[in-house]
Amino acid sequence: MSPRVLCVEGTKGAGKTTTIAAVRERLTARGWTVEVFALFHAGNEWARTQGHEGGVPMMESSPEANRAMVAWLMDAMRAERERFLAAHNTGARPALLIFDRAWITLHAYLYEGAWARLAGTRDEIDALWAAALAEAPPTLFIHTKPEVTLRR
């Protein structure tokens, strides 16, 4: 069986991490190899090496920081997917890589970052989003009612 890639997206407190853990546990019990890559946790660590707090603060700091963060995130998504596929392409066990947020969250960053407020950047941002979307694996979006999210 070819290795598979899936992305789980959702609002804060929707239960993404809980859902991913449950899927991982069940599939592992059935003989699967399941890896999880939390792209934006890794992105926040990278941003700190660039002198930023990471995530949205970096995206809002300047257009240059915005572009750098998006480039790093895109490269990290590609590299992690390619590493996983290469590592498990000939394996006897079924394998699944789950991205804990990636493409849809990147979309929000693209359109909320500092460069989105500059005149003439919309085409550049739209092109990056189209490129990211073309590479996106099947994606599960988890939505939870706001009152549930607030309780969490």
Side-chain angles (χ1 to χ4, degrees), residues 106-147:
L106 175 63
H107 177 266
Y109 278 5
L110 286 172
Y111 291 98
E112 293 177 8
W115 66 356
R117 294 185 285 276
L118 296 177
T121 58
R122 183 63 186 238
D123 288 343
E124 178 185 4
I125 293 169
D126 286 346
L128 279 168
W129 171 236
L133 188 60
E135 298 180 37
T139 301
L140 170 68
F141 187 83
I142 300 174
H143 175 72
T144 304
K145 293 178 181 179
E147 57 271 16

Side-chain angles (χ1 to χ4, degrees), residues 70-152:
V70 169
W72 188 91
L73 290 168
M74 292 290 294
D75 289 347
M77 285 187 285
R78 289 179 187 123
E80 185 62 20
R81 180 184 56 217
E82 295 308 313
R83 180 209 59 79
F84 178 82
L85 293 175
H88 298 284
N89 198 31
T90 58
R93 292 174 54 155
L96 174 66
L97 170 63
I98 303 174
F99 280 93
D100 184 344
R101 288 194 171 179
W103 286 264
I104 292 174
T105 302
L106 175 63
H107 177 266
Y109 278 5
L110 286 172
Y111 291 98
E112 293 177 8
W115 66 356
R117 294 185 285 276
L118 296 177
T121 58
R122 183 63 186 238
D123 288 343
E124 178 185 4
I125 293 169
D126 286 346
L128 279 168
W129 171 236
L133 188 60
E135 298 180 37
T139 301
L140 170 68
F141 187 83
I142 300 174
H143 175 72
T144 304
K145 293 178 181 179
E147 57 271 16
V148 174
T149 297
L150 290 172
R151 282 195 307 260
R152 292 183 178 167

Side-chain angles (χ1 to χ4, degrees), residues 3 7 18 32 36 51 56 60 69 75 81 89 104 113 132 137 141 148:
C7 182
T18 303
W32 284 65
V36 178
V56 175
E60 292 176 350
M69 184 79 184
D75 289 347
R81 180 184 56 217
N89 198 31
I104 292 174
F141 187 83
V148 174

